[in-house]
């Protein structure tokens, strides 16, 4: 599986903009599944699942990575062709479809992250001592709203991915360490119209003035 795939056609973009296909893609980014397994997960008919798989495969977004024979039936395992997708310059004029495609994928990522939080082991959120020092935290859950130029934000994104690569390198060095654990990291960063935090501060200030 590629780390990143460049979308070259409008049809690829439309496929990722479909809400249900984006759900399928999210599962197939994690691991290979057969059409039957996906039908069970989504509680839908195999015919409907296979229709969507064919459309995704036709556009080069998923592929068959292995086959297995079971009870005389050849099962095909599908997987996403990449862990992430980015549009080519030719697709930039399709702003509406591009925006919807990204929105759908982010929404599905949030749903999968919610599932990860719910099913995480009990010790995942255990805090041994109360501390305000991030270096002593064993988990992270924070939301920020920060004003910045677009260029500064892009530079920060690059540094974020550099940090991820650094953590991956450290993980490879300590792969067989007895205290190594598996962590889930999900990140979102995007422009917003107004600050929810600011609204809350204004409301609190109005309340104080009325008192």
């Amino acid at each position: 599986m590629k780390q990143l795939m460049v979308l070259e056609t409008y049809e690829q973009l439309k496929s990722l903009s479909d809400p249900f296909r984006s759900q399928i893609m999210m599962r197939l980014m994690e691991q290979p599944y057969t059409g039957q397994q996906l039908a069970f997960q989504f509680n839908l008919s195999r015919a409907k699942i296979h229709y969507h798989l064919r459309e995704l495969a036709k556009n080069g977004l998923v592929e068959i990575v292995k086959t297995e024979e079971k009870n005389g039936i050849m099962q095909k395992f599908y997987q996403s062709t990449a862990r992430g997708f980015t549009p080519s310059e030719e697709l930039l004029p399709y702003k509406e479809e591009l925006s919807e495609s990204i929105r759908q994928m982010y929404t599905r990522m949030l749903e999968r992250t919610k599932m990860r939080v719910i099913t995480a082991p009990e010790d995942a959120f255990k805090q041994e001592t109360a501390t305000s020092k991030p270096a002593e935290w064993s988990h992270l859950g924070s939301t920020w709203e920060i004003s910045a130029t677009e260029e500064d934000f892009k530079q920060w994104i690059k540094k974020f991915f550099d940090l991820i690569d650094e953590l991956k390198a450290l993980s490879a060095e300590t792969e067989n360490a007895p205290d190594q654990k598996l962590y889930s990291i999900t990140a979102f960063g995007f422009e917003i119209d107004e600050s929810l935090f600011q609204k809350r501060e204004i409301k609190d200030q109005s309340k104080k003035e009325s008192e």
Side-chain angles (χ1 to χ4, degrees), residues 2 34 39 47 52 74 87 90 98 101 105 114 140 158-159 172 176 180 200 205:
K2 300 177 183 177
T34 66
H52 289 292
M74 189 62 68
E90 287 75 11
L98 182 58
S101 173
M105 292 304 294
K114 178 181 177 181
L140 173 65
K158 180 184 181 301
K159 291 178 182 179
N176 298 317
Q180 191 174 62
R200 185 168 58 188
Q205 182 64 33

mmCIF file of all heavy atoms in Angstrom, residues 2 34 39 47 52 74 87 90 98 101 105 114 140 158-159 172 176 180 200 205:
data_model
loop_
_atom_site.group_PDB
_atom_site.id
_atom_site.type_symbol
_atom_site.label_atom_id
_atom_site.label_comp_id
_atom_site.label_asym_id
_atom_site.label_seq_id
_atom_site.Cartn_x
_atom_site.Cartn_y
_atom_site.Cartn_z
ATOM 1 N N LYS A 2 0.553 2.194 -0.912
ATOM 2 C CA LYS A 2 1.283 3.450 -0.943
ATOM 3 C C LYS A 2 0.923 4.304 0.278
ATOM 4 O O LYS A 2 -0.168 4.187 0.820
ATOM 5 C CB LYS A 2 0.931 4.232 -2.206
ATOM 6 C CG LYS A 2 1.253 3.536 -3.513
ATOM 7 C CD LYS A 2 0.787 4.389 -4.675
ATOM 8 C CE LYS A 2 1.016 3.703 -6.005
ATOM 9 N NZ LYS A 2 0.492 4.521 -7.130
ATOM 10 N N THR A 34 -12.933 -9.008 2.538
ATOM 11 C CA THR A 34 -13.709 -9.526 1.415
ATOM 12 C C THR A 34 -15.025 -8.762 1.340
ATOM 13 O O THR A 34 -15.436 -8.101 2.306
ATOM 14 C CB THR A 34 -14.007 -11.025 1.580
ATOM 15 O OG1 THR A 34 -14.887 -11.205 2.721
ATOM 16 C CG2 THR A 34 -12.725 -11.823 1.795
ATOM 17 N N ALA A 39 -19.991 -6.747 3.925
ATOM 18 C CA ALA A 39 -21.449 -6.832 3.953
ATOM 19 C C ALA A 39 -21.932 -7.111 5.374
ATOM 20 O O ALA A 39 -22.942 -6.554 5.826
ATOM 21 C CB ALA A 39 -21.930 -7.926 3.002
ATOM 22 N N ALA A 47 -24.281 -8.005 -2.833
ATOM 23 C CA ALA A 47 -24.405 -7.409 -4.163
ATOM 24 C C ALA A 47 -24.149 -5.902 -4.118
ATOM 25 O O ALA A 47 -23.453 -5.351 -4.974
ATOM 26 C CB ALA A 47 -25.796 -7.685 -4.726
ATOM 27 N N HIS A 52 -20.133 -1.288 -5.064
ATOM 28 C CA HIS A 52 -19.270 -0.179 -4.661
ATOM 29 C C HIS A 52 -17.792 -0.551 -4.787
ATOM 30 O O HIS A 52 -16.967 0.285 -5.171
ATOM 31 C CB HIS A 52 -19.586 0.231 -3.227
ATOM 32 C CG HIS A 52 -20.908 0.931 -3.091
ATOM 33 N ND1 HIS A 52 -21.142 2.181 -3.602
ATOM 34 C CD2 HIS A 52 -22.075 0.536 -2.501
ATOM 35 C CE1 HIS A 52 -22.384 2.544 -3.332
ATOM 36 N NE2 HIS A 52 -22.971 1.568 -2.666
ATOM 37 N N MET A 74 -13.877 -18.997 -4.228
ATOM 38 C CA MET A 74 -12.677 -18.170 -4.199
ATOM 39 C C MET A 74 -13.021 -16.806 -3.620
ATOM 40 O O MET A 74 -13.831 -16.066 -4.176
ATOM 41 C CB MET A 74 -12.091 -18.018 -5.607
ATOM 42 C CG MET A 74 -10.728 -17.357 -5.625
ATOM 43 S SD MET A 74 -9.479 -18.319 -4.725
ATOM 44 C CE MET A 74 -9.338 -19.768 -5.792
ATOM 45 N N PRO A 87 -5.223 15.561 -4.348
ATOM 46 C CA PRO A 87 -5.618 15.832 -5.733
ATOM 47 C C PRO A 87 -4.460 16.373 -6.570
ATOM 48 O O PRO A 87 -3.560 17.045 -6.064
ATOM 49 C CB PRO A 87 -6.706 16.899 -5.570
ATOM 50 C CG PRO A 87 -6.309 17.630 -4.324
ATOM 51 C CD PRO A 87 -5.721 16.583 -3.415
ATOM 52 N N GLU A 90 -4.849 19.294 -11.834
ATOM 53 C CA GLU A 90 -5.960 19.286 -12.789
ATOM 54 C C GLU A 90 -7.314 19.241 -12.087
ATOM 55 O O GLU A 90 -8.342 19.629 -12.653
ATOM 56 C CB GLU A 90 -5.839 18.083 -13.738
ATOM 57 C CG GLU A 90 -4.740 18.200 -14.779
ATOM 58 C CD GLU A 90 -3.354 17.972 -14.187
ATOM 59 O OE1 GLU A 90 -3.270 17.522 -13.032
ATOM 60 O OE2 GLU A 90 -2.349 18.255 -14.890
ATOM 61 N N LEU A 98 -14.075 18.491 -4.390
ATOM 62 C CA LEU A 98 -12.853 18.259 -3.627
ATOM 63 C C LEU A 98 -13.097 18.484 -2.140
ATOM 64 O O LEU A 98 -12.688 17.691 -1.290
ATOM 65 C CB LEU A 98 -11.748 19.180 -4.125
ATOM 66 C CG LEU A 98 -10.378 19.039 -3.470
ATOM 67 C CD1 LEU A 98 -9.859 17.626 -3.629
ATOM 68 C CD2 LEU A 98 -9.402 20.037 -4.087
ATOM 69 N N SER A 101 -15.218 15.632 -0.738
ATOM 70 C CA SER A 101 -14.432 14.403 -0.610
ATOM 71 C C SER A 101 -13.622 14.413 0.678
ATOM 72 O O SER A 101 -13.602 13.441 1.438
ATOM 73 C CB SER A 101 -13.509 14.244 -1.819
ATOM 74 O OG SER A 101 -12.625 13.166 -1.644
ATOM 75 N N MET A 105 -14.082 12.046 4.192
ATOM 76 C CA MET A 105 -13.011 11.234 4.748
ATOM 77 C C MET A 105 -12.715 11.632 6.194
ATOM 78 O O MET A 105 -12.490 10.780 7.052
ATOM 79 C CB MET A 105 -11.755 11.359 3.888
ATOM 80 C CG MET A 105 -11.878 10.749 2.504
ATOM 81 S SD MET A 105 -12.357 8.996 2.518
ATOM 82 C CE MET A 105 -10.926 8.256 3.288
ATOM 83 N N LYS A 114 -13.522 7.540 17.272
ATOM 84 C CA LYS A 114 -14.469 7.370 18.380
ATOM 85 C C LYS A 114 -14.536 5.905 18.792
ATOM 86 O O LYS A 114 -14.526 5.576 19.989
ATOM 87 C CB LYS A 114 -15.855 7.854 17.957
ATOM 88 C CG LYS A 114 -16.928 7.659 19.032
ATOM 89 C CD LYS A 114 -18.277 8.138 18.538
ATOM 90 C CE LYS A 114 -19.353 7.880 19.588
ATOM 91 N NZ LYS A 114 -20.694 8.329 19.119
ATOM 92 N N LEU A 140 -3.258 11.910 25.164
ATOM 93 C CA LEU A 140 -3.443 13.292 24.731
ATOM 94 C C LEU A 140 -4.833 13.472 24.131
ATOM 95 O O LEU A 140 -5.267 12.688 23.287
ATOM 96 C CB LEU A 140 -2.396 13.659 23.674
ATOM 97 C CG LEU A 140 -2.557 15.026 22.995
ATOM 98 C CD1 LEU A 140 -2.372 16.152 24.002
ATOM 99 C CD2 LEU A 140 -1.563 15.165 21.841
ATOM 100 N N LYS A 158 4.183 20.512 8.188
ATOM 101 C CA LYS A 158 5.415 19.806 7.833
ATOM 102 C C LYS A 158 6.161 19.355 9.087
ATOM 103 O O LYS A 158 6.650 18.215 9.166
ATOM 104 C CB LYS A 158 6.310 20.715 6.984
ATOM 105 C CG LYS A 158 7.625 20.057 6.575
ATOM 106 C CD LYS A 158 8.511 21.010 5.817
ATOM 107 C CE LYS A 158 9.805 20.308 5.403
ATOM 108 N NZ LYS A 158 10.559 19.782 6.574
ATOM 109 N N LYS A 159 6.249 20.242 10.088
ATOM 110 C CA LYS A 159 6.938 19.879 11.329
ATOM 111 C C LYS A 159 6.204 18.751 12.046
ATOM 112 O O LYS A 159 6.829 17.879 12.654
ATOM 113 C CB LYS A 159 7.034 21.107 12.238
ATOM 114 C CG LYS A 159 7.965 22.187 11.709
ATOM 115 C CD LYS A 159 7.980 23.397 12.630
ATOM 116 C CE LYS A 159 8.875 24.490 12.086
ATOM 117 N NZ LYS A 159 8.871 25.696 12.963
ATOM 118 N N ALA A 172 10.923 1.847 15.592
ATOM 119 C CA ALA A 172 11.677 0.798 14.901
ATOM 120 C C ALA A 172 12.908 0.388 15.706
ATOM 121 O O ALA A 172 13.291 -0.788 15.729
ATOM 122 C CB ALA A 172 12.085 1.283 13.521
ATOM 123 N N ASN A 176 11.406 -4.513 19.741
ATOM 124 C CA ASN A 176 11.265 -5.694 20.605
ATOM 125 C C ASN A 176 11.373 -5.359 22.098
ATOM 126 O O ASN A 176 11.507 -6.261 22.923
ATOM 127 C CB ASN A 176 12.329 -6.734 20.233
ATOM 128 C CG ASN A 176 12.160 -7.229 18.803
ATOM 129 O OD1 ASN A 176 11.046 -7.485 18.365
ATOM 130 N ND2 ASN A 176 13.260 -7.357 18.079
ATOM 131 N N GLN A 180 7.240 -1.646 25.074
ATOM 132 C CA GLN A 180 6.675 -0.933 23.928
ATOM 133 C C GLN A 180 5.164 -1.164 23.842
ATOM 134 O O GLN A 180 4.684 -2.278 24.014
ATOM 135 C CB GLN A 180 7.329 -1.369 22.623
ATOM 136 C CG GLN A 180 6.965 -0.478 21.444
ATOM 137 C CD GLN A 180 7.725 -0.831 20.184
ATOM 138 O OE1 GLN A 180 7.590 -1.939 19.683
ATOM 139 N NE2 GLN A 180 8.525 0.093 19.682
ATOM 140 N N ARG A 200 -17.766 31.507 24.019
ATOM 141 C CA ARG A 200 -17.935 31.123 25.412
ATOM 142 C C ARG A 200 -17.360 32.184 26.345
ATOM 143 O O ARG A 200 -17.935 32.514 27.372
ATOM 144 C CB ARG A 200 -17.253 29.780 25.677
ATOM 145 C CG ARG A 200 -17.481 29.247 27.090
ATOM 146 C CD ARG A 200 -17.030 27.808 27.207
ATOM 147 N NE ARG A 200 -15.635 27.659 26.865
ATOM 148 C CZ ARG A 200 -15.029 26.478 26.743
ATOM 149 N NH1 ARG A 200 -15.720 25.366 26.884
ATOM 150 N NH2 ARG A 200 -13.740 26.415 26.454
ATOM 151 N N GLN A 205 -18.266 36.645 30.138
ATOM 152 C CA GLN A 205 -18.035 38.037 30.509
ATOM 153 C C GLN A 205 -19.363 38.766 30.701
ATOM 154 O O GLN A 205 -19.528 39.554 31.633
ATOM 155 C CB GLN A 205 -17.213 38.733 29.416
ATOM 156 C CG GLN A 205 -16.870 40.191 29.732
ATOM 157 C CD GLN A 205 -15.978 40.321 30.952
ATOM 158 O OE1 GLN A 205 -15.142 39.455 31.220
ATOM 159 N NE2 GLN A 205 -16.167 41.376 31.718
#
